[in-house]
mmCIF file of all heavy atoms in Angstrom:
data_model
loop_
_atom_site.group_PDB
_atom_site.id
_atom_site.type_symbol
_atom_site.label_atom_id
_atom_site.label_comp_id
_atom_site.label_asym_id
_atom_site.label_seq_id
_atom_site.Cartn_x
_atom_site.Cartn_y
_atom_site.Cartn_z
ATOM 1 N N ASN A 28 -3.434 -9.569 -18.464
ATOM 2 C CA ASN A 28 -2.817 -9.504 -17.200
ATOM 3 C C ASN A 28 -3.383 -8.357 -16.366
ATOM 4 O O ASN A 28 -2.547 -7.834 -15.570
ATOM 5 C CB ASN A 28 -1.261 -9.488 -17.345
ATOM 6 C CG ASN A 28 -0.585 -9.943 -16.024
ATOM 7 O OD1 ASN A 28 -1.089 -10.853 -15.293
ATOM 8 N ND2 ASN A 28 0.524 -9.404 -15.659
ATOM 9 N N HIS A 29 -4.620 -7.989 -16.486
ATOM 10 C CA HIS A 29 -5.103 -7.030 -15.704
ATOM 11 C C HIS A 29 -5.521 -7.439 -14.285
ATOM 12 O O HIS A 29 -5.933 -8.483 -14.032
ATOM 13 C CB HIS A 29 -6.485 -6.395 -16.349
ATOM 14 C CG HIS A 29 -6.268 -5.639 -17.667
ATOM 15 N ND1 HIS A 29 -7.208 -5.307 -18.462
ATOM 16 C CD2 HIS A 29 -5.138 -5.013 -18.118
ATOM 17 C CE1 HIS A 29 -6.751 -4.572 -19.485
ATOM 18 N NE2 HIS A 29 -5.427 -4.333 -19.237
ATOM 19 N N GLU A 30 -5.263 -6.569 -13.394
ATOM 20 C CA GLU A 30 -5.690 -6.815 -12.030
ATOM 21 C C GLU A 30 -7.090 -6.568 -11.665
ATOM 22 O O GLU A 30 -7.726 -7.394 -11.039
ATOM 23 C CB GLU A 30 -4.912 -5.855 -11.062
ATOM 24 C CG GLU A 30 -3.309 -6.030 -11.008
ATOM 25 C CD GLU A 30 -3.018 -7.317 -10.259
ATOM 26 O OE1 GLU A 30 -3.793 -7.834 -9.507
ATOM 27 O OE2 GLU A 30 -1.970 -7.882 -10.668
ATOM 28 N N TYR A 31 -7.710 -5.625 -12.231
ATOM 29 C CA TYR A 31 -9.141 -5.329 -11.993
ATOM 30 C C TYR A 31 -10.048 -5.808 -12.959
ATOM 31 O O TYR A 31 -9.706 -5.681 -14.163
ATOM 32 C CB TYR A 31 -9.352 -3.702 -11.908
ATOM 33 C CG TYR A 31 -8.675 -2.975 -10.763
ATOM 34 C CD1 TYR A 31 -7.909 -3.631 -9.872
ATOM 35 C CD2 TYR A 31 -8.785 -1.596 -10.689
ATOM 36 C CE1 TYR A 31 -7.156 -2.940 -8.872
ATOM 37 C CE2 TYR A 31 -8.173 -0.939 -9.697
ATOM 38 C CZ TYR A 31 -7.350 -1.530 -8.776
ATOM 39 O OH TYR A 31 -6.787 -0.901 -7.726
ATOM 40 N N MET A 32 -11.158 -6.313 -12.490
ATOM 41 C CA MET A 32 -12.284 -6.914 -13.398
ATOM 42 C C MET A 32 -13.621 -6.402 -12.846
ATOM 43 O O MET A 32 -13.760 -6.236 -11.522
ATOM 44 C CB MET A 32 -12.129 -8.448 -13.568
ATOM 45 C CG MET A 32 -10.897 -8.944 -14.260
ATOM 46 S SD MET A 32 -10.699 -10.489 -14.617
ATOM 47 C CE MET A 32 -11.841 -10.748 -16.018
ATOM 48 N N TYR A 33 -14.619 -6.371 -13.719
ATOM 49 C CA TYR A 33 -15.856 -5.781 -13.396
ATOM 50 C C TYR A 33 -16.965 -6.627 -14.209
ATOM 51 O O TYR A 33 -16.753 -7.100 -15.255
ATOM 52 C CB TYR A 33 -15.967 -4.326 -13.764
ATOM 53 C CG TYR A 33 -14.844 -3.488 -13.466
ATOM 54 C CD1 TYR A 33 -13.674 -3.434 -14.244
ATOM 55 C CD2 TYR A 33 -14.938 -2.771 -12.297
ATOM 56 C CE1 TYR A 33 -12.596 -2.575 -13.810
ATOM 57 C CE2 TYR A 33 -13.836 -1.961 -11.933
ATOM 58 C CZ TYR A 33 -12.669 -1.880 -12.658
ATOM 59 O OH TYR A 33 -11.587 -1.091 -12.285
ATOM 60 N N TRP A 34 -18.208 -6.660 -13.486
ATOM 61 C CA TRP A 34 -19.298 -7.021 -14.223
ATOM 62 C C TRP A 34 -20.439 -5.920 -14.152
ATOM 63 O O TRP A 34 -20.675 -5.403 -13.123
ATOM 64 C CB TRP A 34 -19.917 -8.244 -13.516
ATOM 65 C CG TRP A 34 -19.299 -9.652 -13.933
ATOM 66 C CD1 TRP A 34 -18.506 -10.430 -13.240
ATOM 67 C CD2 TRP A 34 -19.553 -10.200 -15.127
ATOM 68 N NE1 TRP A 34 -18.176 -11.449 -13.875
ATOM 69 C CE2 TRP A 34 -18.777 -11.472 -15.215
ATOM 70 C CE3 TRP A 34 -20.455 -9.976 -16.271
ATOM 71 C CZ2 TRP A 34 -18.866 -12.340 -16.209
ATOM 72 C CZ3 TRP A 34 -20.279 -10.903 -17.431
ATOM 73 C CH2 TRP A 34 -19.562 -12.015 -17.338
ATOM 74 N N TYR A 35 -21.047 -5.600 -15.337
ATOM 75 C CA TYR A 35 -21.924 -4.655 -15.523
ATOM 76 C C TYR A 35 -23.140 -5.263 -16.092
ATOM 77 O O TYR A 35 -23.083 -6.290 -16.808
ATOM 78 C CB TYR A 35 -21.488 -3.526 -16.424
ATOM 79 C CG TYR A 35 -20.338 -2.645 -16.082
ATOM 80 C CD1 TYR A 35 -19.014 -3.014 -16.349
ATOM 81 C CD2 TYR A 35 -20.587 -1.448 -15.371
ATOM 82 C CE1 TYR A 35 -17.978 -2.211 -15.995
ATOM 83 C CE2 TYR A 35 -19.488 -0.711 -14.933
ATOM 84 C CZ TYR A 35 -18.181 -1.032 -15.256
ATOM 85 O OH TYR A 35 -17.112 -0.252 -14.877
ATOM 86 N N ARG A 36 -24.311 -4.578 -15.765
ATOM 87 C CA ARG A 36 -25.494 -4.901 -16.565
ATOM 88 C C ARG A 36 -25.980 -3.751 -17.307
ATOM 89 O O ARG A 36 -25.841 -2.624 -16.855
ATOM 90 C CB ARG A 36 -26.537 -5.603 -15.768
ATOM 91 C CG ARG A 36 -27.191 -4.663 -14.702
ATOM 92 C CD ARG A 36 -28.315 -5.398 -13.858
ATOM 93 N NE ARG A 36 -29.530 -5.434 -14.717
ATOM 94 C CZ ARG A 36 -30.591 -6.036 -14.326
ATOM 95 N NH1 ARG A 36 -30.586 -6.720 -13.221
ATOM 96 N NH2 ARG A 36 -31.723 -6.033 -15.075
ATOM 97 N N GLN A 37 -26.556 -3.982 -18.489
ATOM 98 C CA GLN A 37 -26.922 -2.951 -19.401
ATOM 99 C C GLN A 37 -28.454 -3.048 -19.618
ATOM 100 O O GLN A 37 -28.875 -4.082 -20.198
ATOM 101 C CB GLN A 37 -26.270 -2.793 -20.735
ATOM 102 C CG GLN A 37 -26.798 -1.490 -21.602
ATOM 103 C CD GLN A 37 -25.960 -1.620 -22.852
ATOM 104 O OE1 GLN A 37 -25.562 -2.604 -23.430
ATOM 105 N NE2 GLN A 37 -25.861 -0.425 -23.474
ATOM 106 N N ASP A 38 -29.300 -2.022 -19.358
ATOM 107 C CA ASP A 38 -30.650 -2.000 -19.496
ATOM 108 C C ASP A 38 -31.092 -0.768 -20.273
ATOM 109 O O ASP A 38 -30.471 0.219 -20.142
ATOM 110 C CB ASP A 38 -31.442 -2.078 -18.159
ATOM 111 C CG ASP A 38 -31.042 -3.207 -17.219
ATOM 112 O OD1 ASP A 38 -31.403 -4.362 -17.688
ATOM 113 O OD2 ASP A 38 -30.398 -3.103 -16.201
ATOM 114 N N PRO A 39 -32.072 -0.938 -21.126
ATOM 115 C CA PRO A 39 -32.474 0.214 -21.932
ATOM 116 C C PRO A 39 -32.633 1.477 -21.218
ATOM 117 O O PRO A 39 -33.329 1.556 -20.183
ATOM 118 C CB PRO A 39 -33.804 -0.312 -22.648
ATOM 119 C CG PRO A 39 -33.712 -1.778 -22.490
ATOM 120 C CD PRO A 39 -32.952 -2.086 -21.329
ATOM 121 N N GLY A 40 -32.008 2.598 -21.699
ATOM 122 C CA GLY A 40 -32.188 3.893 -21.143
ATOM 123 C C GLY A 40 -31.558 4.136 -19.826
ATOM 124 O O GLY A 40 -31.644 5.167 -19.087
ATOM 125 N N MET A 41 -30.674 3.145 -19.376
ATOM 126 C CA MET A 41 -30.070 3.301 -18.057
ATOM 127 C C MET A 41 -28.499 3.125 -18.024
ATOM 128 O O MET A 41 -27.816 3.130 -17.067
ATOM 129 C CB MET A 41 -30.609 2.181 -17.095
ATOM 130 C CG MET A 41 -32.123 2.300 -16.859
ATOM 131 S SD MET A 41 -32.661 1.188 -15.550
ATOM 132 C CE MET A 41 -32.024 1.992 -14.172
ATOM 133 N N GLY A 42 -27.957 3.116 -19.155
ATOM 134 C CA GLY A 42 -26.487 2.945 -19.328
ATOM 135 C C GLY A 42 -26.067 1.552 -18.718
ATOM 136 O O GLY A 42 -26.795 0.699 -18.605
ATOM 137 N N LEU A 43 -24.798 1.630 -18.209
ATOM 138 C CA LEU A 43 -24.303 0.396 -17.555
ATOM 139 C C LEU A 43 -24.238 0.528 -16.083
ATOM 140 O O LEU A 43 -23.799 1.710 -15.686
ATOM 141 C CB LEU A 43 -22.867 0.066 -18.078
ATOM 142 C CG LEU A 43 -22.869 -0.674 -19.453
ATOM 143 C CD1 LEU A 43 -23.106 0.210 -20.604
ATOM 144 C CD2 LEU A 43 -21.565 -1.315 -19.664
ATOM 145 N N ARG A 44 -24.649 -0.384 -15.355
ATOM 146 C CA ARG A 44 -24.521 -0.370 -13.862
ATOM 147 C C ARG A 44 -23.553 -1.414 -13.284
ATOM 148 O O ARG A 44 -23.720 -2.617 -13.813
ATOM 149 C CB ARG A 44 -25.938 -0.410 -13.182
ATOM 150 C CG ARG A 44 -26.793 0.827 -13.559
ATOM 151 C CD ARG A 44 -28.251 0.531 -13.010
ATOM 152 N NE ARG A 44 -29.038 -0.449 -13.565
ATOM 153 C CZ ARG A 44 -30.170 -0.943 -12.998
ATOM 154 N NH1 ARG A 44 -30.548 -0.477 -12.012
ATOM 155 N NH2 ARG A 44 -30.694 -1.986 -13.636
ATOM 156 N N LEU A 45 -22.827 -1.069 -12.371
ATOM 157 C CA LEU A 45 -21.781 -2.072 -11.913
ATOM 158 C C LEU A 45 -22.403 -3.041 -10.935
ATOM 159 O O LEU A 45 -23.078 -2.624 -9.939
ATOM 160 C CB LEU A 45 -20.739 -1.223 -11.129
ATOM 161 C CG LEU A 45 -19.581 -2.076 -10.641
ATOM 162 C CD1 LEU A 45 -18.783 -2.690 -11.756
ATOM 163 C CD2 LEU A 45 -18.639 -1.150 -9.864
ATOM 164 N N ILE A 46 -22.371 -4.334 -11.081
ATOM 165 C CA ILE A 46 -22.818 -5.409 -10.286
ATOM 166 C C ILE A 46 -21.787 -5.652 -9.110
ATOM 167 O O ILE A 46 -22.054 -5.644 -7.959
ATOM 168 C CB ILE A 46 -23.214 -6.615 -11.093
ATOM 169 C CG1 ILE A 46 -24.129 -6.208 -12.272
ATOM 170 C CG2 ILE A 46 -23.892 -7.712 -10.192
ATOM 171 C CD1 ILE A 46 -24.438 -7.412 -13.240
ATOM 172 N N HIS A 47 -20.663 -6.217 -9.580
ATOM 173 C CA HIS A 47 -19.614 -6.548 -8.684
ATOM 174 C C HIS A 47 -18.262 -6.382 -9.365
ATOM 175 O O HIS A 47 -18.178 -6.199 -10.515
ATOM 176 C CB HIS A 47 -19.561 -8.034 -8.374
ATOM 177 C CG HIS A 47 -20.695 -8.511 -7.439
ATOM 178 N ND1 HIS A 47 -20.510 -8.371 -6.008
ATOM 179 C CD2 HIS A 47 -21.929 -9.110 -7.640
ATOM 180 C CE1 HIS A 47 -21.710 -8.808 -5.528
ATOM 181 N NE2 HIS A 47 -22.522 -9.307 -6.426
ATOM 182 N N TYR A 48 -17.202 -6.178 -8.512
ATOM 183 C CA TYR A 48 -15.912 -5.969 -9.190
ATOM 184 C C TYR A 48 -14.920 -6.726 -8.334
ATOM 185 O O TYR A 48 -15.092 -7.226 -7.096
ATOM 186 C CB TYR A 48 -15.581 -4.471 -9.340
ATOM 187 C CG TYR A 48 -15.455 -3.776 -8.069
ATOM 188 C CD1 TYR A 48 -14.245 -3.457 -7.405
ATOM 189 C CD2 TYR A 48 -16.581 -3.202 -7.385
ATOM 190 C CE1 TYR A 48 -14.141 -2.702 -6.344
ATOM 191 C CE2 TYR A 48 -16.498 -2.588 -6.186
ATOM 192 C CZ TYR A 48 -15.250 -2.271 -5.631
ATOM 193 O OH TYR A 48 -15.059 -1.551 -4.525
ATOM 194 N N SER A 49 -13.728 -6.851 -8.976
ATOM 195 C CA SER A 49 -12.554 -7.508 -8.210
ATOM 196 C C SER A 49 -11.283 -6.830 -8.424
ATOM 197 O O SER A 49 -10.969 -6.375 -9.634
ATOM 198 C CB SER A 49 -12.495 -8.922 -8.763
ATOM 199 O OG SER A 49 -11.257 -9.398 -8.262
ATOM 200 N N VAL A 50 -10.580 -6.551 -7.421
ATOM 201 C CA VAL A 50 -9.277 -5.834 -7.631
ATOM 202 C C VAL A 50 -8.051 -6.658 -7.626
ATOM 203 O O VAL A 50 -6.808 -6.258 -7.512
ATOM 204 C CB VAL A 50 -9.115 -4.645 -6.566
ATOM 205 C CG1 VAL A 50 -10.171 -3.724 -6.749
ATOM 206 C CG2 VAL A 50 -9.145 -5.175 -5.157
ATOM 207 N N GLY A 51 -8.346 -8.028 -7.579
ATOM 208 C CA GLY A 51 -7.250 -9.007 -7.642
ATOM 209 C C GLY A 51 -7.729 -10.378 -7.379
ATOM 210 O O GLY A 51 -8.788 -10.509 -6.822
ATOM 211 N N GLU A 52 -6.875 -11.339 -7.665
ATOM 212 C CA GLU A 52 -7.166 -12.783 -7.463
ATOM 213 C C GLU A 52 -7.599 -12.948 -6.009
ATOM 214 O O GLU A 52 -6.955 -12.535 -5.192
ATOM 215 C CB GLU A 52 -5.958 -13.644 -7.742
ATOM 216 C CG GLU A 52 -6.214 -15.052 -7.832
ATOM 217 C CD GLU A 52 -4.873 -15.776 -8.174
ATOM 218 O OE1 GLU A 52 -4.312 -15.467 -9.132
ATOM 219 O OE2 GLU A 52 -4.596 -16.847 -7.386
ATOM 220 N N GLY A 53 -8.780 -13.603 -5.840
ATOM 221 C CA GLY A 53 -9.339 -13.975 -4.537
ATOM 222 C C GLY A 53 -10.020 -12.933 -3.922
ATOM 223 O O GLY A 53 -10.530 -13.143 -2.674
ATOM 224 N N THR A 54 -10.211 -11.727 -4.444
ATOM 225 C CA THR A 54 -10.945 -10.642 -3.954
ATOM 226 C C THR A 54 -12.108 -10.220 -4.747
ATOM 227 O O THR A 54 -11.981 -10.282 -5.917
ATOM 228 C CB THR A 54 -10.105 -9.360 -3.654
ATOM 229 O OG1 THR A 54 -9.749 -8.773 -4.882
ATOM 230 C CG2 THR A 54 -8.858 -9.705 -3.059
ATOM 231 N N THR A 55 -13.292 -9.875 -4.018
ATOM 232 C CA THR A 55 -14.488 -9.380 -4.752
ATOM 233 C C THR A 55 -15.100 -8.369 -3.858
ATOM 234 O O THR A 55 -14.825 -8.288 -2.686
ATOM 235 C CB THR A 55 -15.522 -10.482 -5.135
ATOM 236 O OG1 THR A 55 -15.962 -11.032 -3.879
ATOM 237 C CG2 THR A 55 -14.806 -11.589 -6.036
ATOM 238 N N ALA A 56 -15.918 -7.395 -4.529
ATOM 239 C CA ALA A 56 -16.616 -6.392 -3.834
ATOM 240 C C ALA A 56 -17.914 -6.101 -4.523
ATOM 241 O O ALA A 56 -18.031 -6.332 -5.648
ATOM 242 C CB ALA A 56 -15.763 -5.219 -3.746
ATOM 243 N N LYS A 57 -18.813 -5.583 -3.805
ATOM 244 C CA LYS A 57 -20.156 -5.156 -4.380
ATOM 245 C C LYS A 57 -20.096 -3.943 -5.083
ATOM 246 O O LYS A 57 -19.450 -3.057 -4.675
ATOM 247 C CB LYS A 57 -21.076 -5.154 -3.263
ATOM 248 C CG LYS A 57 -21.463 -6.536 -2.580
ATOM 249 C CD LYS A 57 -22.543 -6.381 -1.386
ATOM 250 C CE LYS A 57 -22.733 -7.727 -0.831
ATOM 251 N NZ LYS A 57 -23.815 -7.549 0.252
ATOM 252 N N GLY A 58 -20.817 -3.867 -6.193
ATOM 253 C CA GLY A 58 -20.950 -2.621 -6.948
ATOM 254 C C GLY A 58 -22.281 -1.971 -6.603
ATOM 255 O O GLY A 58 -22.781 -1.925 -5.447
ATOM 256 N N GLU A 59 -22.894 -1.361 -7.480
ATOM 257 C CA GLU A 59 -24.116 -0.541 -7.346
ATOM 258 C C GLU A 59 -25.363 -1.343 -7.241
ATOM 259 O O GLU A 59 -26.345 -1.109 -6.437
ATOM 260 C CB GLU A 59 -24.265 0.297 -8.638
ATOM 261 C CG GLU A 59 -25.346 1.388 -8.582
ATOM 262 C CD GLU A 59 -25.574 2.103 -9.964
ATOM 263 O OE1 GLU A 59 -24.693 1.902 -10.738
ATOM 264 O OE2 GLU A 59 -26.409 2.889 -10.111
ATOM 265 N N VAL A 60 -25.385 -2.575 -7.921
ATOM 266 C CA VAL A 60 -26.541 -3.399 -7.977
ATOM 267 C C VAL A 60 -26.203 -4.884 -7.764
ATOM 268 O O VAL A 60 -26.422 -5.688 -8.657
ATOM 269 C CB VAL A 60 -27.419 -3.218 -9.379
ATOM 270 C CG1 VAL A 60 -28.147 -1.777 -9.353
ATOM 271 C CG2 VAL A 60 -26.521 -3.404 -10.505
ATOM 272 N N PRO A 61 -25.752 -5.177 -6.554
ATOM 273 C CA PRO A 61 -25.225 -6.645 -6.405
ATOM 274 C C PRO A 61 -26.286 -7.691 -6.098
ATOM 275 O O PRO A 61 -26.051 -8.875 -6.179
ATOM 276 C CB PRO A 61 -24.333 -6.397 -5.205
ATOM 277 C CG PRO A 61 -24.910 -5.376 -4.423
ATOM 278 C CD PRO A 61 -25.557 -4.441 -5.458
ATOM 279 N N ASP A 62 -27.511 -7.167 -5.715
ATOM 280 C CA ASP A 62 -28.530 -8.147 -5.138
ATOM 281 C C ASP A 62 -28.921 -9.281 -6.269
ATOM 282 O O ASP A 62 -29.213 -8.825 -7.412
ATOM 283 C CB ASP A 62 -29.638 -7.429 -4.628
ATOM 284 C CG ASP A 62 -29.392 -6.732 -3.411
ATOM 285 O OD1 ASP A 62 -28.285 -6.946 -2.744
ATOM 286 O OD2 ASP A 62 -30.118 -5.828 -3.106
ATOM 287 N N GLY A 63 -28.917 -10.540 -5.792
ATOM 288 C CA GLY A 63 -29.274 -11.590 -6.675
ATOM 289 C C GLY A 63 -28.024 -12.230 -7.511
ATOM 290 O O GLY A 63 -28.228 -13.179 -8.266
ATOM 291 N N TYR A 64 -26.908 -11.707 -7.253
ATOM 292 C CA TYR A 64 -25.688 -12.056 -8.045
ATOM 293 C C TYR A 64 -24.545 -12.510 -7.029
ATOM 294 O O TYR A 64 -24.475 -11.892 -6.079
ATOM 295 C CB TYR A 64 -25.158 -11.000 -8.906
ATOM 296 C CG TYR A 64 -26.154 -10.457 -9.912
ATOM 297 C CD1 TYR A 64 -26.834 -9.328 -9.635
ATOM 298 C CD2 TYR A 64 -26.368 -11.074 -11.096
ATOM 299 C CE1 TYR A 64 -27.749 -8.762 -10.541
ATOM 300 C CE2 TYR A 64 -27.241 -10.523 -12.068
ATOM 301 C CZ TYR A 64 -27.970 -9.408 -11.722
ATOM 302 O OH TYR A 64 -28.829 -8.890 -12.669
ATOM 303 N N ASN A 65 -23.723 -13.433 -7.366
ATOM 304 C CA ASN A 65 -22.472 -13.678 -6.604
ATOM 305 C C ASN A 65 -21.430 -13.898 -7.728
ATOM 306 O O ASN A 65 -21.578 -14.043 -8.907
ATOM 307 C CB ASN A 65 -22.605 -14.985 -5.856
ATOM 308 C CG ASN A 65 -23.032 -16.235 -6.740
ATOM 309 O OD1 ASN A 65 -22.113 -16.695 -7.426
ATOM 310 N ND2 ASN A 65 -24.180 -16.500 -6.771
ATOM 311 N N VAL A 66 -20.138 -13.580 -7.216
ATOM 312 C CA VAL A 66 -19.054 -13.609 -8.146
ATOM 313 C C VAL A 66 -17.843 -14.297 -7.427
ATOM 314 O O VAL A 66 -17.847 -14.484 -6.227
ATOM 315 C CB VAL A 66 -18.541 -12.221 -8.483
ATOM 316 C CG1 VAL A 66 -19.462 -11.479 -9.446
ATOM 317 C CG2 VAL A 66 -18.318 -11.266 -7.223
ATOM 318 N N SER A 67 -16.905 -14.783 -8.308
ATOM 319 C CA SER A 67 -15.638 -15.419 -7.746
ATOM 320 C C SER A 67 -14.593 -15.073 -8.713
ATOM 321 O O SER A 67 -14.711 -14.901 -9.892
ATOM 322 C CB SER A 67 -15.812 -16.930 -7.664
ATOM 323 O OG SER A 67 -16.100 -17.502 -8.847
#
Side-chain angles (χ1 to χ4, degrees):
Chain A
N28 201 34
H29 285 166
E30 291 291 331
Y31 292 1
M32 297 186 74
Y33 311 83
W34 276 106
Y35 295 89
R36 60 177 288 172
Q37 182 183 25
D38 301 295
M41 297 187 73
L43 278 75
R44 292 180 293 169
L45 183 64
I46 304 172
H47 286 280
Y48 64 100
S49 168
V50 299
E52 183 178 317
T54 71
T55 63
K57 294 180 180 180
E59 184 185 356
V60 288
D62 293 342
Y64 305 95
N65 57 76
V66 287
S67 63

